[in-house]
Coordinates of all heavy atoms in Angstrom, one line a residue:
P238 N -2.9 -10.2 -4.2 CA -3.0 -10.2 -5.7 C -2.0 -11.1 -6.4 O -2.2 -11.5 -7.6 CB -2.9 -8.8 -6.2 CG -3.3 -7.9 -4.9 CD -2.5 -8.7 -3.8
M239 N -0.9 -11.6 -5.7 CA 0.1 -12.4 -6.4 C -0.4 -13.9 -6.1 O 0.2 -14.8 -6.7 CB 1.4 -12.3 -5.6 CG 2.0 -11.0 -5.7 SD 2.7 -10.6 -7.3 CE 3.9 -11.7 -7.5
R240 N -1.5 -14.0 -5.4 CA -2.3 -15.4 -5.2 C -1.5 -16.4 -4.5 O -1.4 -17.6 -4.9 CB -2.7 -15.9 -6.5 CG -3.5 -14.9 -7.5 CD -4.9 -14.4 -6.9 NE -5.5 -13.4 -7.7 CZ -6.1 -13.7 -8.9 NH1 -6.3 -14.8 -9.3 NH2 -6.7 -12.7 -9.5
P241 N -0.8 -16.2 -3.3 CA -0.3 -17.2 -2.6 C -1.5 -18.0 -1.9 O -2.7 -17.5 -1.8 CB 0.4 -16.5 -1.5 CG -0.2 -15.2 -1.4 CD -0.8 -14.8 -2.7
D242 N -1.2 -19.2 -1.5 CA -2.4 -20.1 -0.8 C -2.5 -19.7 0.6 O -3.5 -19.9 1.1 CB -2.1 -21.5 -1.1 CG -2.1 -21.8 -2.6 OD1 -3.1 -21.7 -3.3 OD2 -1.0 -22.1 -3.1
V243 N -1.4 -19.4 1.3 CA -1.4 -19.1 2.7 C -0.5 -17.9 2.9 O 0.4 -17.7 2.2 CB -0.9 -20.3 3.6 CG1 -0.9 -19.9 5.0 CG2 -1.6 -21.6 3.3
L244 N -0.9 -17.0 3.8 CA -0.1 -15.7 4.1 C 0.1 -15.7 5.7 O -0.8 -16.3 6.5 CB -0.9 -14.6 3.7 CG -0.2 -13.2 3.8 CD1 1.0 -13.1 2.9 CD2 -1.2 -12.0 3.5
G245 N 1.2 -15.2 6.0 CA 1.5 -15.2 7.6 C 2.7 -14.4 7.9 O 3.2 -13.6 7.1
L246 N 3.1 -14.7 9.1 CA 4.3 -14.0 9.7 C 5.2 -15.1 10.2 O 4.7 -16.0 10.8 CB 3.8 -13.1 10.8 CG 2.8 -12.0 10.6 CD1 2.3 -11.4 11.9 CD2 3.2 -11.0 9.8
N247 N 6.5 -14.8 10.3 CA 7.3 -15.5 11.1 C 8.8 -14.7 11.5 O 8.8 -13.6 10.9 CB 7.9 -16.8 10.4 CG 8.9 -16.5 9.3 OD1 8.6 -16.0 8.2 ND2 10.1 -17.0 9.5
C248 N 9.3 -15.1 12.4 CA 10.7 -14.5 12.9 C 10.5 -13.2 13.5 O 9.4 -12.7 13.8 CB 11.7 -14.6 11.7 SG 13.4 -14.8 12.2
A249 N 11.7 -12.5 13.7 CA 11.8 -11.1 14.1 C 11.5 -10.8 15.6 O 12.3 -10.4 16.4 CB 11.1 -10.1 13.4
T250 N 10.3 -11.4 16.1 CA 10.0 -11.2 17.4 C 9.2 -12.4 18.0 O 9.0 -13.4 17.2 CB 8.9 -10.0 17.3 OG1 7.7 -10.4 16.9 CG2 9.4 -8.8 16.8
G251 N 8.9 -12.4 19.2 CA 8.0 -13.3 19.8 C 6.6 -13.0 19.5 O 6.2 -12.1 18.9
P252 N 5.6 -14.0 20.0 CA 4.4 -13.8 19.7 C 3.7 -12.7 20.3 O 2.6 -12.0 19.6 CB 3.7 -15.1 20.2 CG 4.6 -15.6 21.3 CD 6.1 -15.1 20.8
A253 N 4.1 -12.1 21.4 CA 3.5 -11.0 22.1 C 3.6 -9.7 21.2 O 2.7 -9.0 21.0 CB 4.0 -10.8 23.4
E254 N 4.8 -9.5 20.7 CA 5.1 -8.3 19.7 C 4.3 -8.4 18.4 O 4.2 -7.5 17.7 CB 6.6 -8.2 19.5 CG 7.5 -7.9 20.9 CD 7.6 -9.1 21.7 OE1 7.5 -10.4 21.2 OE2 8.0 -9.0 22.9
M255 N 4.0 -9.6 18.0 CA 3.2 -9.8 16.8 C 1.8 -9.5 16.8 O 1.1 -9.5 15.9 CB 3.4 -11.3 16.3 CG 4.8 -11.7 15.7 SD 4.6 -13.4 15.1 CE 6.2 -13.7 14.4
G256 N 1.3 -9.4 18.0 CA -0.1 -9.4 18.2 C -1.0 -8.6 17.3 O -1.9 -9.1 16.7

Side-chain angles (χ1 to χ4, degrees):
M239 301 289 292
R240 311 289 174 83
D242 298 294
V243 181
L244 185 65
L246 307 172
N247 77 288
C248 207
T250 70
E254 295 79 14
M255 283 184 177

